[in-house]
Amino acid sequence: YEGEVRYIRAWTYFCIARGLGGIPIVGDDVFDYTGGMDITTIQVPRSTEAETYDYIIKECQEAAAMMSKQTNKNNSRANYWVAKMLEARAAITAASLATYNTVAEHPQLRTAGGEVGIPADKAEGYYRTALAAAKEVIEGSADGTASPYKLMLAADKTSEALADNFFKAVCEKSGNTEVIWTRDYATPGYGHEFTKNCLPKSIEQDTGSDRMSVLLNLVEAYESTDATEAERGKAAKFDIGTLDDPKFFDDPMDLFADRDPRLAATVLLPGSTFDGKLIELQAGQLNKVDGRWTERTGRRNETDAQGRLITANNGPFGGNEREINRTGFFVRKYLDKTPLAGTQGTKSAMWNVYFRISEAYLIAAEASWELSHNNSDVEALKYINAVRERAGIQPLTSIDHQKIMHEYQVEFAFEGHRWWDLKRWMEADNIWTGNENDRTAQRLGLWPYRVVAEGDVNNGKWVFVEKNMQTLDLWRKPLKCTDVQYYSEIDNGWINNNPKLVKNPYQ
């Protein structure tokens, strides 16, 4: 119990530190306040950012030694391996900040006392700590105890089977060997409404569905299963032609057929099925008028004079309706197929995953590459390719920072990693530039249209039209991050209570 409590304390420090930087380390001190006492004796100043991560890492190491190496129900309580995972994540975070938050690139993103800003010469030590902890989670502890967590490899290598395998690796509790630590739920009594809120309108089980649309920006990140070496580890635009010269598809799913199977496990695509139900996405019809292709859209479930569907119940379309798909894609990851999981009365018991074994593999790959800066690093390639093999895509023969970032993005979409990874790499400002002409800063959708053109050879087929949500006035500004957003504010009320605190950069 003491080990678990110390771990929870370390986790709390980590969750605060990655947003604020260095924080006051209270440790095991206990303060008794009585009225009229000298309050300055219980005011603790902020530690440096490096000292804070050092404390978290040390607490994880000591807590791990106190805890069991056995798994528990749904991995909902901390054990030895959970503490080692936090050690690895905290160390890779500190190492990244030491490497990428540089004076040259971010001159104002530090404080004089080191509350923000980790010296670059500490990066190597952190990377070595991260590598050692991650390898232990993968390979087993020094006393010979084997790790109870393994990547789940699909026996059937079809795209559908690989997608199903990945969904199970993240979302299924029974027989799961990948999930290390979760926030678990149980129904009735302790459920949540993620499934209710995110089910497509056509299969909603209660009011308040269809609250999340997935951007094309993420969907494009999933590479082709037959990508060349030069194409691997990179996003790729879809070949859809133009409205004047569109590319036609017999089935809307044909466009996505050769993509990384993790895409279909993460996102509901036009023509996907969920719980045996077809997810129909149709923005409108593509008609031929005076020899030119023309988009025709309508209201939800509207049909033409011949009874042919114009716009599907699910959309996508514009307008100001609250519960409507905007982009042509729904989230699939974490949706619960359990009967009535999408209702307010029953709710969902789908867990929320904090750590999976694939993160240990990617931390090991990243740390190994950062230590060697060798794009042919055998160990780094071994670990990243293990994750790619489980996914069902081609192995890398070279590795670099961009490929590492890409693998984190597609592996952990919707699992709470993206912002914190981009922050520790100081990459969010390079991607979300706020420039409406930068593709990475745009909010993009891909709308499917059914061809309705009697007498045309392509009648009944499908085309896709890329849509910029900003030009549709659905989101008015492009995505933007600057150095100001990398660290949260130290509230003035906190400083009034404890003048030993100092403000963060840009406050």
Side-chain angles (χ1 to χ4, degrees):
Y1 287 140
E2 184 179 342
E4 287 186 73
V5 171
R6 288 182 67 177
Y7 168 79
I8 292 169
R9 181 175 64 181
W11 171 254
T12 304
Y13 269 88
F14 173 73
C15 291
I16 298 172
R18 62 182 179 176
L20 289 174
I23 57 178
I25 298 175
V26 177
D28 295 332
D29 291 336
V30 177
F31 299 99
D32 291 319
Y33 172 77
T34 56
M37 69 178 288
D38 180 6
I39 196 70
T40 63
T41 62
I42 60 174
Q43 291 171 339
V44 182
R46 292 177 68 183
S47 297
T48 68
E49 193 168 24
E51 288 169 344
T52 302
Y53 282 103
D54 290 344
Y55 174 74
I56 295 165
I57 291 167
K58 181 174 180 291
E59 281 294 295
C60 287
Q61 292 169 342
E62 294 183 4
M66 305 171 73
M67 288 193 287
S68 169
K69 294 179 181 177
Q70 299 298 313
T71 59
N72 52 72
K73 185 178 180 180
N74 297 336
N75 300 305
S76 57
R77 288 177 61 177
N79 60 16
Y80 176 90
W81 312 101
V82 173
K84 300 305 289 186
M85 273 302 306
L86 180 56
E87 178 188 345
R89 188 187 285 184
I92 201 73
T93 299
S96 301
L97 292 171
T99 301
Y100 295 105
N101 183 12
T102 64
V103 175
E105 293 292 330
H106 307 277
Q108 298 183 58
L109 207 55
R110 56 199 64 249
T111 58
E115 294 87 0
V116 170
I118 299 178
D121 60 7
K122 292 183 70 69
E124 181 179 346
Y126 287 131
Y127 281 126
R128 294 196 182 283
T129 297
L131 178 59
K135 287 176 69 173
E136 188 169 350
V137 175
I138 296 166
E139 299 167 5
S141 58
D143 65 1
T145 303
S147 172
Y149 310 102
K150 306 292 179 187
L151 292 171
M152 293 169 59
L153 303 178
D156 186 345
K157 301 303 181 183
T158 63
S159 292
E160 184 177 355
L162 288 163
D164 187 56
N165 178 69
F166 182 67
F167 183 84
K168 290 178 178 177
V170 180
C171 298
E172 282 203 3
K173 300 178 184 181
S174 178
N176 193 301
T177 65
E178 289 211 22
V179 171
I180 298 174
W181 190 43
T182 71
R183 177 173 179 173
D184 197 21
Y185 293 85
T187 57
Y190 189 58
H192 58 77
E193 296 186 356
F194 181 83
T195 294
K196 180 193 79 69
N197 293 338
C198 294
L199 279 175
K201 180 60 66 175
S202 63
I203 60 171
E204 69 176 357
Q205 299 173 13
D206 212 328
T207 57
S209 65
D210 203 346
R211 298 291 183 87
M212 183 183 291
S213 300
V214 178
L215 294 179
L216 173 62
N217 312 46
L218 172 64
V219 175
E220 286 182 339
Y222 293 85
E223 68 199 70
S224 172
T225 53
D226 58 0
T228 66
E229 171 56 28
E231 297 169 333
R232 294 172 199 170
K234 297 179 181 178
K237 290 181 65 177
F238 290 98
D239 180 11
I240 58 171
T242 65
L243 188 58
D244 291 331
D245 184 22
K247 187 171 182 179
F248 298 93
F249 299 89
D250 294 329
D251 186 284
M253 284 293 287
D254 291 347
L255 179 63
F256 313 99
D258 68 343
R259 290 285 172 138
D260 181 338
R262 287 175 292 188
L263 171 59
T266 303
V267 176
L268 289 174
L269 308 163
S272 288
T273 59
F274 181 76
D275 195 22
K277 302 177 182 69
L278 176 68
I279 308 303
E280 188 175 40
L281 282 155
Q282 181 176 326
Q285 295 178 356
L286 196 69
N287 303 144
K288 209 164 202 179
V289 180
D290 297 329
R292 298 193 64 178
W293 292 111
T294 304
E295 300 169 69
R296 179 184 182 184
T297 59
R299 298 181 302 276
R300 192 192 297 270
N301 278 331
E302 186 176 352
T303 58
D304 62 18
Q306 288 73 39
R308 296 169 298 199
L309 182 66
I310 300 175
T311 299
N313 189 19
N314 293 322
F317 55 82
N320 58 7
E321 286 193 48
R322 182 179 182 183
E323 297 169 11
I324 186 65
N325 187 276
R326 306 294 188 193
T327 63
F329 306 104
F330 292 97
V331 66
R332 181 190 180 194
K333 189 181 283 187
Y334 284 144
L335 285 189
D336 190 348
K337 296 180 182 180
T338 305
L340 302 180
T343 64
Q344 295 182 33
T346 301
K347 300 184 180 179
S348 172
M350 176 68 70
W351 57 16
N352 182 33
V353 176
Y354 292 145
F355 291 130
R356 290 194 288 117
I357 187 67
S358 58
E359 184 180 355
Y361 278 87
L362 294 190
I363 288 174
E366 180 182 357
S368 183
W369 178 80
E370 290 282 5
L371 288 166
S372 69
H373 279 280
N374 176 2
N375 289 5
S376 299
D377 187 301
V378 173
E379 189 167 59
L381 285 168
K382 176 183 73 174
Y383 289 120
I384 198 169
N385 281 333
V387 175
R388 292 172 65 87
E389 178 188 0
R390 190 267 276 112
I393 54 176
Q394 298 290 328
L396 299 176
T397 58
S398 66
I399 187 170
D400 57 33
H401 184 53
Q402 292 296 322
K403 291 176 180 177
I404 290 167
M405 290 195 300
H406 169 269
E407 205 63 37
Y408 274 96
Q409 180 185 15
V410 296
E411 176 71 16
F412 298 114
F414 306 121
E415 294 182 54
H417 288 243
R418 182 64 170 163
W419 162 249
W420 301 113
D421 285 336
L422 292 180
K423 178 195 166 168
R424 67 183 176 87
W425 295 320
M426 295 287 147
E427 287 284 352
D429 61 310
N430 296 323
I431 296 171
W432 302 323
T433 61
N435 186 334
E436 63 184 19
N437 296 314
D438 288 345
R439 187 173 180 82
T440 58
Q442 297 169 348
R443 293 178 174 91
L444 301 174
L446 195 62
W447 287 12
Y449 290 79
R450 189 70 179 263
V451 178
V452 177
E454 293 182 5
D456 189 275
V457 66
N458 294 303
N459 185 45
K461 294 187 178 182
W462 293 83
V463 300
F464 290 85
V465 179
E466 183 176 298
K467 299 290 183 178
N468 187 329
M469 301 295 107
Q470 184 178 343
T471 60
L472 293 174
D473 205 29
L474 297 175
W475 286 285
R476 295 184 179 180
K477 294 183 179 181
L479 296 163
K480 183 176 182 179
C481 177
T482 68
D483 279 6
V484 176
Q485 279 77 50
Y486 279 130
Y487 285 88
S488 301
E489 293 187 354
I490 301 294
D491 188 86
N492 286 330
W494 305 345
I495 295 178
N496 291 338
N497 291 332
N498 181 5
K500 295 178 182 177
L501 302 179
V502 298
K503 290 187 175 182
N504 271 342
Y506 295 100
Q507 282 195 252

